[in-house]
Amino acid sequence: MELTVAEEREIPRELADDLSPPERVGIKRFFLRAFMDGELHGISTSLLVARDRSGAPLAASAVSRLRLAMDCIAPSSIQRLAGAVRRLWPSFLELDLLMCGIPASLADNESVVVPGLSVDVGTAVRRALIAFSADLMEREQRMACVWKEFDRAALKVWQPAFEQTGFAWFPSVPVSVQTVRWTSLEDYLQRLRAPYRRQLAQNVSRAAASGVEIELDLDPGPHMAAFARLYQQVLARSSTRLETLSVRFFELLAEDPRVRFIRASMAGRTVGGALCYVDAPSVLVFLYVGMDYAVMRETDLYFNLLRAIVELAAARRVSRVHWGQTSPDAKGRMGATLEPLRFALLFRKPLIQRLLRHSGGWLFPEHHQIARRVFKGDGS
């Protein structure tokens, strides 16, 4: 089949939101636009678009250029070691990177292929996109090209084309997911085993004693300036940092009515918030959190925001929650489980690629979850 791939700065009008599953927020038009126009320091994002002879789009993938520390998702011990080395050698393990996707911790694969293509055409389209990305890396003399994130189903479809081009696969940070079986917050609490119900009650009690008030399902627009400052506090303490998001980014995100805000306040002052994407009845995606660390511990703020997400999921009658890739232990205490993800990586220099195939396990280890019996009758 005759097809072409080109880099485009505008989102094709044919790239409709319903071409991707509801939970894949990063490839939705509003999110791409926020990322492309959000004035993000050190990141530029555009699209690779595959078209047929008539010019009709067959597939698209976000593509970003950025500088990223190779140890950004490595175990904390390796991150500490790399940080110590960077005090003497600032560019240690830092990559001038071409990323097919967007550098956001959403557990997303920011690629879409038009449905209904034959197996052969779909394979050809994927190979063309991947080959174009490898050629682009070469032309721009970038150190590496990475494609993210692939769950089991996507991996099965994409893996042959990546391996044909020389990419290697590594574990990424898994995503916490949960089926919504409760119909209200009270129903959720009744389903919990006693230790988890007591702990959550203590979290709520500590927040109430400190004067914390939680508001659900707000229009996020008026709150984004305050939220962005609180998000920066969380980011400064994060062990996995792909992106630094701007106030402008959050303002653009807030323009979509599916983005909702959970606000935590004390004496009228915003001290925390959770930004969520709600596509009822399918999914609630926990996008970003912001917290005032001056009061976070004394108020059990994070667990109270997680509790509020549980309540919002029930109120909107969604069938599942995608909790994201951060804080898996805390989300596991809410009943979430981990789903593995993988990414594909190709270094421009073959020697580095060969070394990485043999030693990448210590930089990108498999992640595991503490087994918890959160709900009554849960034998897992």
Side-chain angles (χ1 to χ4, degrees):
M1 178 186 181
E2 184 178 330
L3 61 92
T4 60
V5 178
E7 184 174 2
E8 301 183 12
R9 303 291 174 180
E10 295 296 324
I11 303 171
R13 57 181 176 80
E14 299 94 340
L15 189 60
D17 283 1
D18 61 4
L19 292 180
S20 58
E23 66 273 10
R24 286 184 41 205
V25 181
I27 196 63
K28 308 299 183 194
R29 296 185 65 89
F30 82 98
F31 200 94
L32 283 173
R33 178 54 57 202
F35 222 87
M36 295 167 75
D37 295 346
E39 301 168 2
L40 305 182
H41 178 70
I43 301 173
S44 65
T45 299
S46 54
L47 288 168
L48 303 183
V49 182
R51 296 180 180 272
D52 64 16
R53 181 186 300 178
S54 71
L58 299 173
S61 174
V63 61
S64 302
R65 294 165 174 87
L66 69 156
R67 193 165 182 83
L68 186 66
M70 189 173 175
D71 57 293
C72 66
I73 63 171
S76 56
S77 58
I78 293 175
Q79 289 190 6
R80 287 194 297 270
L81 178 60
V85 175
R86 286 194 189 101
R87 286 195 284 270
L88 299 174
W89 182 8
S91 63
F92 178 68
L93 287 184
E94 289 200 349
L95 306 180
D96 190 19
L97 194 67
L98 187 74
M99 175 181 285
C100 288
I102 55 177
S105 306
L106 293 176
D108 256 358
N109 170 242
E110 288 88 19
S111 304
V112 62
V113 177
V114 172
L117 300 181
S118 69
V119 173
D120 288 346
V121 172
T123 299
V125 166
R126 293 182 183 89
R127 286 176 177 168
L129 283 172
I130 295 165
F132 187 93
S133 71
D135 290 343
L136 189 59
M137 173 189 67
E138 289 283 355
R139 292 198 304 271
E140 297 185 355
Q141 296 291 287
R142 296 189 177 271
M143 293 182 68
C145 177
V146 63
W147 283 70
K148 63 175 264 298
E149 313 260 6
F150 294 85
D151 59 19
R152 290 187 181 97
L155 185 65
K156 189 174 182 180
V157 175
W158 285 82
Q159 188 168 3
F162 277 112
E163 293 181 350
Q164 185 180 50
T165 316
F167 281 78
W169 290 98
F170 298 98
S172 186
V173 178
V175 58
S176 296
V177 298
Q178 189 166 6
T179 300
V180 177
R181 306 188 189 282
W182 57 93
T183 57
S184 66
L185 178 60
E186 293 72 21
D187 183 32
Y188 172 84
L189 295 172
Q190 287 302 313
R191 291 169 180 266
L192 292 176
R193 293 171 63 87
Y196 293 95
R197 189 167 60 252
R198 283 195 300 269
Q199 182 60 61
L200 199 54
Q202 291 172 11
N203 298 145
V204 172
S205 179
R206 290 187 68 186
S210 300
V212 172
E213 296 183 1
I214 303 286
E215 297 170 90
L216 292 181
D217 212 351
L218 300 179
D219 174 5
H223 306 284
M224 288 302 91
F227 175 78
R229 291 191 292 271
L230 298 175
Y231 156 82
Q232 289 289 343
Q233 291 193 41
V234 175
L235 184 68
R237 293 162 175 82
S238 174
S239 61
T240 303
R241 184 187 300 191
L242 293 182
E243 76 277 48
T244 300
L245 302 173
S246 64
V247 176
R248 179 59 179 158
F249 168 82
F250 289 119
E251 289 172 345
L252 290 170
L253 218 60
E255 292 178 2
D256 193 282
R258 294 167 295 184
V259 176
R260 310 305 296 164
F261 186 59
I262 296 170
R263 178 178 181 243
S265 62
M266 295 176 67
R269 178 175 65 92
T270 300
V271 296
L275 206 58
C276 300
Y277 171 83
V278 182
D279 190 344
S282 296
V283 69
L284 182 154
V285 181
F286 181 13
L287 297 174
Y288 300 106
V289 68
M291 293 182 290
D292 184 345
Y293 275 71
V295 301
M296 184 196 73
R297 295 190 185 281
E298 70 186 62
T299 61
D300 285 346
L301 188 54
Y302 189 57
F303 278 99
N304 277 278
L305 290 171
L306 297 185
R307 177 199 60 79
I309 290 172
V310 164
E311 187 173 3
L312 180 58
R316 285 301 197 98
R317 297 291 191 265
V318 299
S319 60
R320 50 193 197 283
V321 175
H322 275 234
W323 289 100
Q325 292 174 283
T326 59
S327 306
D329 184 62
K331 293 163 183 175
R333 293 173 184 272
M334 306 300 293
T337 57
L338 292 181
E339 286 190 357
L341 299 169
R342 302 185 80 81
F343 66 91
L345 179 61
L346 177 66
F347 273 86
R348 183 165 53 86
K349 295 184 177 180
L351 176 59
I352 299 178
Q353 186 74 6
R354 287 196 295 270
L355 289 173
L356 191 67
R357 285 182 183 274
H358 296 292
S359 60
W362 63 276
L363 270 177
F364 312 118
E366 297 280 358
H367 294 258
H368 302 284
Q369 185 175 37
I370 298 173
R372 297 186 183 280
R373 298 176 59 202
V374 176
F375 298 105
K376 297 173 184 175
D378 185 357
S380 61

